[in-house]
Amino acid sequence: MYGIATRIAAALAAFVSLTVPALAQDPATPAPRTVAVELQTTMGTITVALEVERAPITAGNFLRYVDEQRLDGTVFYRSMILDWEPHPNGLIQGGTQFDPARILPPIAHEPTSVTGLTHGRGALSMARNEPGSANGDFSILLQAQPSMDADPDNPDPLGYAVFGTVVGGMDVVEAIHAAPRDPDKGEGWMKGEMLAQPVIITRAVRAAAE
């Protein structure tokens, strides 16, 4: 009888040791909320997921441009090519180009050190001059560019603000990036990076829920 009781107790102890840690674990953390937007262009559609939870200021600003149709009729005008592996590498840039009829007031800078986001392949990142000057222009990265993240050791320690990522249409991004450039267009260090024929964003709209 004692042997049976001992074996039962041992079995119960083993069961508890296996199940209690599992019961003590936190439930799975839901993925941060995003909002899908379609950038419909003359070369195809790019679908992006905006990080409205992790980068609420920057993503919210972009959504306002979308909802107020401020991006409709704007263009992707720049293709920066980097001769780094893997290829293709660099970024494309588009947006309002400081059109006074389209731009909204600049927004506060949300560095990647605060949002936890990174400049990976397909990342959407706000174009800017000084931190806090971004408004309606943005870039899409072809490959990861960690040097654009916030880093106190970088020449630009606050980096750029990531606010979303491409979830469909990277082939369109790559096609825009590969489009011919005009060697005489552009100013300063951007000379030669302007597309000979800018690609029109015919419509920017929230994607229909599935």
Side-chain angles (χ1 to χ4, degrees):
M1 186 71 177
Y2 178 81
I4 294 173
T6 301
R7 287 196 294 273
I8 292 173
L12 287 171
F15 175 78
V16 170
S17 68
L18 290 172
T19 57
V20 168
L23 292 173
Q25 292 176 355
D26 292 333
T29 303
R33 190 169 72 89
T34 61
V35 172
V37 164
E38 290 183 355
L39 302 176
Q40 300 170 8
T41 82
T42 48
M43 292 186 72
T45 297
I46 303 165
T47 304
V48 300
L50 303 183
E51 295 280 356
V52 293
E53 185 173 327
R54 290 191 284 184
I57 295 172
T58 318
N61 174 70
F62 193 83
L63 272 177
R64 184 176 172 189
Y65 277 89
V66 170
D67 292 340
E68 296 180 9
Q69 302 178 340
R70 293 174 182 269
L71 292 177
D72 295 5
T74 61
V75 297
F76 283 106
Y77 53 86
R78 180 184 176 209
S79 168
M80 182 187 77
I81 297 177
L82 295 175
D83 190 23
W84 302 346
E85 295 287 350
H87 292 153
N89 209 331
L91 58 80
I92 62 173
Q93 187 170 320
T96 56
Q97 295 181 278
F98 297 100
D99 180 345
R102 294 180 181 272
I103 61 171
L104 295 167
I107 57 172
H109 183 57
E110 285 183 308
T112 56
S113 54
V114 172
T115 63
L117 301 169
T118 59
H119 284 85
R121 173 173 164 80
L124 275 74
S125 181
M126 290 304 297
R128 65 165 176 82
N129 291 317
E130 297 300 319
S133 65
N135 47 51
D137 281 52
F138 63 98
S139 300
I140 301 177
L141 273 62
L142 274 289
Q143 303 293 346
Q145 300 294 341
S147 63
M148 294 178 68
D149 292 341
D151 185 337
D153 295 327
N154 284 345
D156 189 345
L158 290 177
Y160 292 82
V162 177
F163 64 98
T165 189
V166 174
V167 293
M170 271 304 290
D171 57 328
V172 178
V173 174
E174 292 178 354
I176 295 171
H177 185 253
R181 301 183 297 170
D182 188 328
D184 298 320
K185 288 175 66 174
E187 298 180 359
W189 52 271
M190 289 197 296
K191 185 173 181 178
E193 296 182 350
M194 301 297 111
L195 293 178
Q197 295 293 330
V199 176
I200 300 171
I201 301 173
T202 56
R203 189 175 182 222
V205 62
R206 294 187 189 227
E210 296 182 356

